[in-house]
Amino acid sequence: MAAAVVRGGAAGWRRWHGRVMVCSRAMASKTPVGFIGLGNMGNPMAKNLVKHGYPVIAYDVFPEACKEFQDLGAQVTDSPADVAEKADRIITMLPSSPNAIEVYTGANGILKKVKKGSLLIDSSTIDPAVSKELAKAVEKMGAVFMDAPVSGGVGAARAGNLTFMVGGVEQEFNAAKELLTCMGSNVVYCGEVGTGQAAKICNNMLLAISMIGTAEAMNLGIRLGLDPKLLAKILNMSSGRCWSSDTYNPVPGVMEGVPSANNYQGGFGTTLMAKDLGLAQISATNTKTPVPLGSQAHQIYRMMCAKGYALKDFSAVFQFLREEETL
């Protein structure tokens, strides 16, 4: 039976007659954790690690993003490689596949100084095929890679109740879960590397479709003379109810504390939704899977990006549809 990786303050492989030596994870629990990517999602996620007592070793391509963590007592480094030199557990939260490839395999990437036995958790939403390639590269260095994209948005990241969809070696899941439960309320093992990404892009494709459907229904109802709050109430007690209608309604004035109540600022950007729908399209093409509504959603969000909505929350599709009479 293959020996699993055991991590402590110093990374390494420990074997004893083909069996894993007993090593308490609790002893390692407060050793430093590297965090790379301190943007809208990474910032609150890393803060939750700090709140749980983990010393954080931070890096972001924009140095100003790190200043807040210096003030919290985190150690800030100059490159992903420097993070890998100082920590044997690293979480990355990056915008896209090219960013992830650069952070892991670039000239100053993690793999330049990664220690054997390190656990590398990527919470970016990227192409499942890229996750698999990164896992192979990491494995060659004697370390472990897991994909663990998230659902829940910035609000859930702040509250520490994200959902993590994890792909990788099952024997390492509990080691990853120890860290991920500091940032999320649901940590689900999906299977081999890439299955976390697969679950995430399926979820976001459905989310985009349901948000567009909610926006269309609300727009039609309003034009037929219905009060938007009344219509939302009826939808949410009827069979049309969905997360986009009852938790994240896209119509201004219907709900408080959501982007539609704040000129669609914050939340999950239209650019990111378009990117995730693009990943779904690539996967659909590779697997010869028909996704007609997913394709239409991708086109709508790409049009939104081209017409000034790129930085607005994806629920701004309601406003976009109100303005685009010819669609």
Side-chain angles (χ1 to χ4, degrees):
M1 186 172 89
V5 183
V6 179
R7 277 167 215 90
W13 304 82
R14 298 182 183 176
R15 305 169 189 266
W16 179 69
H17 296 302
R19 293 191 168 197
V20 180
M21 291 175 63
V22 176
C23 177
S24 170
R25 292 282 185 192
M27 291 176 66
S29 64
K30 301 306 180 188
T31 57
V33 177
F35 205 106
I36 299 172
L38 302 170
N40 289 339
M41 292 294 291
N43 178 294
M45 289 169 66
K47 282 180 181 173
N48 279 323
L49 285 174
V50 173
K51 286 178 186 175
H52 280 81
Y54 289 93
V56 168
I57 298 173
Y59 172 77
D60 193 277
V61 68
F62 298 107
E64 60 270 22
C66 297
K67 187 179 185 309
E68 188 176 3
F69 287 89
Q70 269 185 318
D71 296 340
L72 291 172
Q75 185 178 348
V76 174
T77 65
D78 294 326
S79 71
D82 290 342
V83 175
E85 188 175 36
K86 298 173 187 298
D88 59 20
R89 296 182 293 176
I90 301 172
I91 297 167
T92 53
M93 182 49 122
L94 306 160
S96 67
S97 296
N99 296 122
I101 292 168
E102 177 65 21
V103 161
Y104 279 88
T105 67
N108 292 303
I110 290 170
L111 297 189
K112 290 296 180 184
K113 294 184 179 179
V114 69
K115 293 176 279 189
K116 283 188 176 181
S118 291
L119 175 62
L120 311 179
I121 303 171
D122 182 37
S123 286
S124 319
T125 299
I126 61 174
D127 187 338
V130 172
S131 290
K132 291 176 184 179
E133 289 303 312
L134 291 177
K136 289 177 185 176
V138 168
E139 187 178 0
K140 287 178 183 176
M141 303 300 293
V144 175
F145 177 91
M146 303 189 88
D147 60 305
V150 303
S151 180
V154 175
R158 289 188 187 123
N161 57 16
L162 290 165
T163 292
F164 286 89
M165 295 152 270
V166 185
V169 179
E170 188 170 7
Q171 291 90 332
E172 292 296 328
F173 175 62
N174 284 336
K177 190 175 181 180
E178 177 196 328
L179 297 177
L180 300 181
T181 50
C182 297
M183 301 174 284
S185 54
N186 299 299
V187 182
V188 183
Y189 180 69
C190 299
E192 63 184 18
V193 169
T195 56
Q197 298 294 350
K200 172 63 187 287
I201 62 176
C202 288
N203 177 78
N204 276 23
M205 184 175 73
L206 178 58
L207 174 60
I209 292 167
S210 68
M211 180 57 78
I212 293 168
T214 299
E216 288 183 355
M218 292 295 296
N219 188 31
L220 177 60
I222 291 166
R223 292 188 180 190
L224 289 171
L226 286 165
D227 175 78
K229 284 188 177 181
L230 175 64
L231 177 56
K233 180 180 178 181
I234 293 168
L235 292 177
N236 292 335
M237 62 175 64
S238 304
S239 56
R241 178 183 179 184
C242 63
W243 187 85
S244 296
S245 68
D246 72 0
T247 303
Y248 211 82
N249 198 284
V251 181
V254 169
M255 297 181 67
E256 294 181 2
V258 293
S260 62
N262 188 35
N263 194 30
Y264 301 103
Q265 300 303 306
F268 185 63
T270 293
T271 300
L272 293 175
M273 179 55 87
K275 180 208 77 173
D276 289 358
L277 289 167
L279 294 175
Q281 291 302 296
I282 292 168
S283 294
T285 300
N286 291 341
T287 57
K288 296 182 172 60
T289 305
V291 287
L293 293 181
S295 296
Q296 186 64 41
H298 186 214
Q299 290 180 37
I300 290 171
Y301 278 100
R302 287 181 66 193
M303 282 192 287
M304 288 177 66
C305 290
K307 295 202 173 186
Y309 289 86
L311 299 180
K312 289 185 178 289
D313 179 74
F314 81 106
S315 63
V317 67
F318 172 78
Q319 187 180 59
F320 174 71
L321 292 172
R322 298 269 289 180
E323 294 174 355
E324 295 294 321
E325 302 284 349
T326 59
L327 276 180

